[in-house]
Amino acid sequence: MSPGTYEHVKGARYEVLTLARHSETEEWVVVYRQLYGDGGVWVRPAAMFTEQVEVGVGLVPRFRRVD
């Protein structure tokens, strides 16, 4: 996982800013900014960001890099 533009399985685009550690669990989280609306900044566990999800065509990445 590296900084760049990623597309969510549902089509929205996000800019991954960095990885960080949760202060209590030390779990890696992805810090990312939505590239639409108010440009809000979000975090998601890295394991969830990179996992495969089931859609009509089978398993696909939840987020895929597009740049």
Side-chain angles (χ1 to χ4, degrees):
M1 170 76 48
S2 58
T5 303
Y6 290 76
E7 186 174 87
H8 187 267
V9 67
K10 293 181 181 176
R13 290 201 174 188
Y14 300 86
E15 177 188 10
V16 169
L17 304 172
T18 192
L19 292 174
R21 287 265 191 170
H22 187 287
S23 63
E24 298 295 322
T25 66
E26 296 190 14
E27 175 183 26
W28 284 104
V29 295
V30 178
V31 181
Y32 61 105
R33 179 176 64 89
Q34 62 190 47
L35 296 177
Y36 60 91
D38 67 359
V41 175
W42 300 83
V43 298
R44 182 185 292 253
M48 182 185 281
F49 194 95
T50 59
E51 75 183 348
Q52 301 277 310
V53 294
E54 181 75 35
V55 295
V57 297
L59 289 175
V60 297
R62 182 181 300 275
F63 290 89
R64 68 177 182 88
R65 190 171 180 131
V66 294
D67 71 346

